[in-house]
């Protein structure tokens, strides 16, 4: 790497203001936070001329801002001697924005671009325009005006901003019911407003590229005869016209709701345990990630892909069912 004796720590300037409210003898609890976090002197790689012998150099450059809200509410609608119902809901929304870069110039970052005024993980892609119904060729928009289509994979000048990897909002919703020794709890997790990118789509949808790889069933919807209307091109062995290359075809909406946790349990009454000299005994069954609703039905992989929202043949988050016994002596 290119050395730089002027490298320093990044600088963060956080601001946070919030309120906590508890009413009705703590039956309703509300927490609200508003924050702004400004980061300066960010450590990023600056492109260099390859004549220097290096492709890039790490520098303290640019600044970025995160601004958002976090909201949480806890409610106990029912509270009796034997029955308790508790609701938890939380919501978070963050807006990320790059506020400065060296000379205000864009910096390419793989599938993304660093641009002043845009989020750090903003997709910068060529726009896929579907399939030519006459011959089955893949089509792309030839320039940033998105008016002219071409069956030749376009150059870098056709790349445009198409969305971001960071969700607009996310959170969870939980319910817990307790009746005497029985309890049932369920948690839903939600995530909305981002795009997810499939880096391996070309191999299992590729319309001829990566011919020795297995294909997904979506490949069966490919163009086969003139007049077919589809988004999967004609299959050409070891083709088809760079269809597998990076474009918006590989992007899907990342909106989903997941049943993250479901648990049913029973606490054995203490009077029944006294003869066994056991303090407490609980038996339960717990299911994790049992159901997932996905808005974009084209999505061929798990929508939960972390901050970068990019899959690299990641293993699906498994559905698990656990039976357990907790004993306290």
């Amino acid at each position: 790497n290119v050395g730089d004796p002027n490298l320093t720590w990044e600088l963060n300037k956080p601001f946070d203001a919030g309120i906590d409210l508890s009413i009705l003898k703590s039956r309703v609890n509300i927490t609200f936070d508003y924050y702004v976090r400004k980061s300066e002197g960010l450590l990023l790689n600056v492109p260099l001329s390859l004549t220097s012998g290096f492709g890039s150099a790490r520098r303290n450059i640019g600044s970025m801002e995160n601004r958002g809200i976090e909201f949480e509410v806890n409610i106990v609608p029912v509270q009796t001697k034997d029955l308790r119902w508790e609701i938890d809901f939380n919501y978070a929304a963050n807006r990320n924005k790059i506020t400065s870069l060296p000379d205000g110039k864009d910096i390419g970052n793989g599938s993304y671009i660093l641009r002043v005024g845009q989020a750090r993980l903003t997709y910068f892609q060529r726009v896929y325009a579907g399939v030519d119904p006459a011959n089955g060729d893949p089509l792309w928009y030839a320039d940033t005006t998105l008016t002219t289509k071409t069956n030749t994979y376009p150059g870098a000048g056709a790349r445009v901003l198409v969305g971001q990897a960071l969700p607009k909002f996310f959170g969870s919703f939980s319910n817990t019911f307790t009746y005497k020794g029985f309890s049932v709890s369920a948690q839903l997790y939600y995530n909305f407003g981002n795009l997810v990118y499939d880096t391996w789509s070309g191999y299992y949808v590729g319309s001829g590229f990566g011919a020795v790889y297995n294909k997904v069933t979506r490949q069966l919807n490919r163009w086969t005869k003139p007049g077919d209307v589809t988004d999967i091109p004609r299959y050409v062995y070891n083709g088809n016209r760079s269809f597998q290359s990076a474009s918006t075809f590989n992007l899907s909406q990342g909106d989903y709701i997941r049943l993250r946790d479901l648990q049913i349990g029973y606490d054995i009454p203490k009077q029944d345990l006294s003869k066994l000299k056991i303090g407490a005994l609980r038996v339960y069954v717990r299911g994790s990630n049992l159901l997932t609703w996905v808005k974009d039905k084209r999505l061929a992989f798990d929508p939960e892909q972390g901050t970068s929202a990019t899959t690299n043949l990641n293993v699906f988050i498994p559905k698990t069912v656990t039976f357990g016994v907790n004993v306290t002596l």
Side-chain angles (χ1 to χ4, degrees):
N1 297 303
V2 178
D4 187 347
N6 298 315
L7 283 179
T8 67
W9 297 103
E10 295 181 340
L11 177 64
N12 288 305
K13 299 178 179 179
F15 167 81
D16 186 278
I19 183 172
D20 294 308
L21 177 66
S22 182
I23 59 176
L24 301 177
K25 297 181 179 180
S26 297
R27 295 278 295 274
V28 177
N29 303 283
I30 298 172
T31 299
F32 177 84
D33 282 285
Y34 169 77
Y35 63 87
V36 179
R37 185 183 182 92
K38 296 182 179 181
S39 302
E40 300 174 358
L42 298 180
L43 290 169
L44 294 172
N45 290 327
V46 179
L48 297 178
S49 170
L50 291 177
T51 58
S52 67
F54 298 92
S56 63
R58 179 154 296 186
R59 304 270 171 77
N60 289 100
I61 60 172
S63 58
M64 184 170 63
E65 177 185 278
N66 283 286
R67 181 187 300 265
I69 61 171
E70 294 178 349
F71 173 77
E72 183 176 358
V73 59
N74 169 268
I75 303 175
V76 183
V78 178
Q79 176 71 72
T80 67
K81 178 182 177 181
D82 296 324
L83 177 64
R84 178 183 173 88
W85 174 22
E86 185 174 356
I87 299 173
D88 286 288
F89 173 78
N90 64 70
Y91 170 92
N94 180 72
R95 296 295 178 266
N96 173 269
K97 181 174 65 174
I98 296 173
T99 52
S100 70
L101 289 171
D103 301 321
K105 294 182 179 179
D106 296 344
I107 298 178
N109 186 24
S111 297
Y112 316 102
I113 190 170
L114 302 179
R115 176 176 291 179
V116 174
Q118 299 296 326
R120 178 183 177 277
L121 294 174
T122 296
Y123 290 108
F124 191 54
Q125 298 283 334
R126 297 165 180 84
V127 180
Y128 184 63
V131 173
D132 188 334
N135 57 21
D137 283 351
L139 300 173
W140 298 268
Y141 287 103
D143 53 40
T144 57
T145 63
L146 305 184
T147 54
T148 304
K149 298 179 181 180
T150 177
N151 64 352
T152 300
Y153 187 66
R159 297 175 69 180
V160 298
L161 304 178
V162 292
Q164 64 180 43
L166 301 174
K168 292 182 178 179
F169 62 91
F170 58 91
S172 66
F173 176 66
S174 303
N175 279 272
T176 301
F177 297 89
T178 304
Y179 178 71
K180 295 185 176 179
F182 292 94
S183 64
V184 178
S185 63
Q187 182 193 67
L188 295 172
Y189 180 84
Y190 61 90
N191 178 99
F192 286 83
N194 67 313
L195 297 174
V196 288
Y197 189 81
D198 188 354
T199 58
W200 283 80
S201 172
Y203 286 89
Y204 51 73
V205 186
S207 288
F209 175 80
V212 298
Y213 289 79
N214 287 331
K215 308 301 179 185
V216 294
T217 55
R218 189 179 177 190
Q219 186 71 68
L220 298 175
N221 296 327
R222 66 188 182 276
W223 185 98
T224 57
K225 63 183 184 302
D228 284 349
V229 178
T230 177
D231 62 345
I232 308 296
R234 176 170 59 103
Y235 190 93
V236 178
Y237 185 80
N238 285 335
N240 180 333
R241 305 185 70 86
S242 298
F243 169 64
Q244 76 281 356
S245 299
S247 76
T248 56
F249 176 84
N250 302 321
L251 286 170
S252 302
Q253 289 180 291
D255 302 352
Y256 71 94
I257 301 174
R258 168 164 280 160
L259 180 57
R260 175 82 76 204
D261 187 83
L262 176 64
Q263 183 166 278
I264 302 173
Y266 179 64
D267 292 286
I268 308 298
K270 291 186 177 181
Q271 60 268 25
D272 297 338
L273 300 173
S274 58
K275 295 180 180 180
L276 301 175
K277 297 183 179 181
I278 296 176
L281 178 62
R282 176 178 174 80
V283 294
Y284 67 91
V285 58
R286 179 181 183 182
S288 300
N289 306 310
L290 297 179
L291 297 171
T292 302
W293 172 85
V294 178
K295 180 178 180 180
D296 193 338
K297 303 308 178 184
R298 301 173 305 160
L299 196 63
F301 54 91
D302 197 307
E304 192 170 348
Q305 294 297 327
T307 305
S308 67
T310 299
T311 180
N312 192 25
L313 289 184
N314 304 79
V315 176
F316 275 70
I317 294 178
K319 299 178 182 180
T320 60
V321 177
T322 306
F323 296 90
V325 178
N326 291 336
V327 179
T328 303
L329 301 177

